Amino acid sequence: MGERADEAPLLFWAEGPAVSAPPAAAEAGGSSGGGRRLGGGWSAAPWGGEGPEEAAGPPRAEAEEDQIVAVFVVTFDPRTGNMVEWCLPQDIDLEGVEFKSMASGSHKIQSDFIHQLEMPGHYSHLEAFYDDKKGVLPGSKGTSNSQQPVHWLPSIHRYMYPEMKITHPAGCMSQFIKFFGEQILVLWKFALLRKRILIFSPPPVGVVCYRVYCCCCLANVSLPGLGGTVPESKPFFYVNVADIEMLETEVSYVACTTEKIFEEKRDLYDVYVDNQNVKTHHEHLQPLLKINNADKEKYRRLNDQRQMLMYSQEVGDDCNSCEEDLFILFFMEQNNRIFQTLMEVSASQDKTLTADHARGMGLDPQGDRSFLLDLLEVYGIDVMLVIDNPCCT
């Protein structure tokens, strides 16, 4: 992927109105040249709200009670490895954060994401940031001055403090499409099936985080009441060996890693992506790796729409649309069409899904048969598939 994607920040700092933090403690970090990563930990919402209504409800004074509980800088020492170089407060327990905050191999590269740390070793701006935003951990008010341990979440991106906005560079989607080509239709099916997708790449990790973001955008569905029991596909962005115990409990995620050892730990993932090589060790998922005629047609239509958008932008007819919107809407409309058809068939008297239905959904009746069977099982849709198995004809 292009240099522009490498250098663009995944996060940026934006001052905004006081809002509630997510309903769990979290950390956020960024790295700069020299193998350092900074981060902060947040306490849980004091009113226990989990939805947007609850989060927006409390007055400003109450929201201000819930702020950052720690800031830290992690660096790599060639003799001792990853270590916490600086933190506030100084007596807070940050055990393990040095491994969760810095991608393996980061000390070998000159630059990756740069969030706030532009001058390694000079942390006065971080100290001022902490003094402005600092809060206390739940249950620590009225107790002794000793700090309670921070229970760090396994991924720095699992929950984002509301003032930290997820961003991506212009051209991110275009580079994703060019990098994977028709393989994005394979990733689309796995994402829609809520599989555990692990993307490997050596550092810098920034480029791969954009691929995690783009992959998550493949599975959007806007139909109401769909898949209430279907697990949420969590974007973890970066994981390492310190997250193995957590990954063992996850049923659906998209993540990236710089540690090759994960390829051997097959119980932690369903789909492994190494460069442009998408593979799975599950035999029943093997048919989904093949590109069929319907996939090629979808990829052609996607590129046609991209070309039309680019032309409209060049001649000045369309200054509002962007490629990201086109990309997300393309797959959302495809997903909506599939599930709308499946729900209509499920509500019919005979509940029979035919080859014509598959074609109407933009799928290959034979090539996507196993995909449809998995889709019906994952989303619990009561439909009888009457498309012959190609192996039996």
Side-chain angles (χ1 to χ4, degrees), residues 188 192 223 298 332-343 360-363 371-372 375 381:
W188 163 65
L192 207 57
L223 297 179
K298 281 192 284 290
M332 181 182 291
E333 289 172 357
Q334 175 66 47
N335 299 340
N336 286 350
R337 179 158 46 131
I338 290 175
F339 286 111
Q340 184 65 45
T341 301
L342 293 179
M343 289 189 292
M361 292 185 287
L363 300 177
F371 170 60
L372 274 171
L375 205 62
I381 301 176

Side-chain angles (χ1 to χ4, degrees), residues 88-366:
L88 281 179
Q90 295 181 355
D91 58 348
I92 195 164
D93 184 354
L94 296 175
E95 181 180 359
V97 76
E98 66 271 27
F99 301 108
K100 299 184 181 188
S101 299
M102 179 178 288
S104 297
S106 293
H107 62 287
K108 298 179 181 179
I109 61 175
Q110 291 300 312
S111 65
D112 200 342
F113 291 138
I114 300 177
H115 298 178
Q116 295 183 37
L117 186 57
E118 308 249 352
M119 297 179 61
H122 299 273
Y123 307 131
S124 58
H125 62 304
L126 279 181
E127 186 172 357
F129 171 78
Y130 173 71
D131 287 339
D132 180 54
K133 300 290 182 179
K134 66 183 176 182
V136 292
L137 288 170
S140 62
K141 293 180 181 180
T143 61
S144 65
N145 292 329
S146 61
Q147 292 284 347
Q148 300 295 318
V150 175
H151 301 287
W152 300 101
L153 288 181
S155 168
I156 63 172
H157 297 286
R158 182 163 185 176
Y159 292 105
M160 281 299 174
Y161 191 67
E163 293 180 14
M164 289 295 220
K165 303 179 185 299
I166 296 179
T167 66
H168 37 275
C172 171
M173 299 295 182
S174 176
Q175 292 160 357
F176 180 72
I177 295 169
K178 290 177 182 177
F179 184 79
F180 283 109
E182 293 177 344
Q183 290 277 82
I184 62 172
L185 278 309
V186 174
L187 293 173
W188 163 65
K189 294 174 188 178
F190 287 132
L192 207 57
L193 291 174
R194 298 294 192 262
K195 298 303 178 184
R196 299 171 298 169
I197 302 173
L198 184 60
I199 304 174
F200 166 79
S201 177
V205 74
V207 176
V208 204
C209 287
Y210 301 140
R211 294 174 194 164
V212 171
Y213 168 78
C214 293
C215 195
C216 289
C217 291
L218 298 172
N220 289 329
V221 182
S222 62
L223 297 179
L226 177 68
T229 60
V230 178
E232 175 190 5
S233 186
K234 302 176 182 178
F236 285 137
F237 290 96
Y238 174 73
V239 294
N240 63 14
V241 292
D243 301 313
I244 288 178
E245 185 175 346
M246 174 277 298
L247 288 177
E248 290 174 341
T249 67
E250 296 296 339
V251 295
S252 177
Y253 68 81
V254 183
C256 68
T257 186
T258 60
E259 301 190 10
K260 191 70 173 177
I261 192 173
F262 271 96
E263 185 174 8
E264 303 172 9
K265 300 185 178 300
R266 295 185 170 187
D267 57 320
L268 299 180
Y269 63 86
D270 302 308
V271 181
Y272 188 82
V273 183
D274 185 347
N275 201 22
Q276 291 149 313
N277 183 22
V278 182
K279 56 186 178 181
T280 176
H281 55 279
H282 295 299
E283 185 175 351
H284 74 283
L285 295 178
Q286 296 290 335
L288 275 66
L289 297 174
K290 299 177 181 177
I291 304 293
N292 57 50
N293 290 333
D295 296 328
K296 294 178 180 179
E297 173 61 19
K298 281 192 284 290
Y299 186 70
R300 184 194 64 79
R301 286 194 295 108
L302 176 60
N303 277 316
D304 285 348
Q305 292 184 23
R306 292 175 59 224
Q307 292 298 324
M308 287 190 291
L309 175 63
M310 291 170 62
Y311 176 76
S312 297
Q313 291 173 335
E314 286 178 4
V315 300
D317 292 340
D318 189 350
C319 299
N320 296 320
S321 300
C322 67
E323 192 170 38
E324 178 187 359
D325 294 337
L326 185 152
F327 181 89
I328 293 174
L329 287 174
F330 179 88
F331 284 99
M332 181 182 291
E333 289 172 357
Q334 175 66 47
N335 299 340
N336 286 350
R337 179 158 46 131
I338 290 175
F339 286 111
Q340 184 65 45
T341 301
L342 293 179
M343 289 189 292
E344 289 175 356
V345 173
S346 178
S348 66
Q349 189 170 0
D350 61 2
K351 299 181 182 297
T352 300
L353 189 70
T354 66
D356 288 338
H357 285 123
R359 295 187 190 95
M361 292 185 287
L363 300 177
D364 186 311
Q366 299 293 336

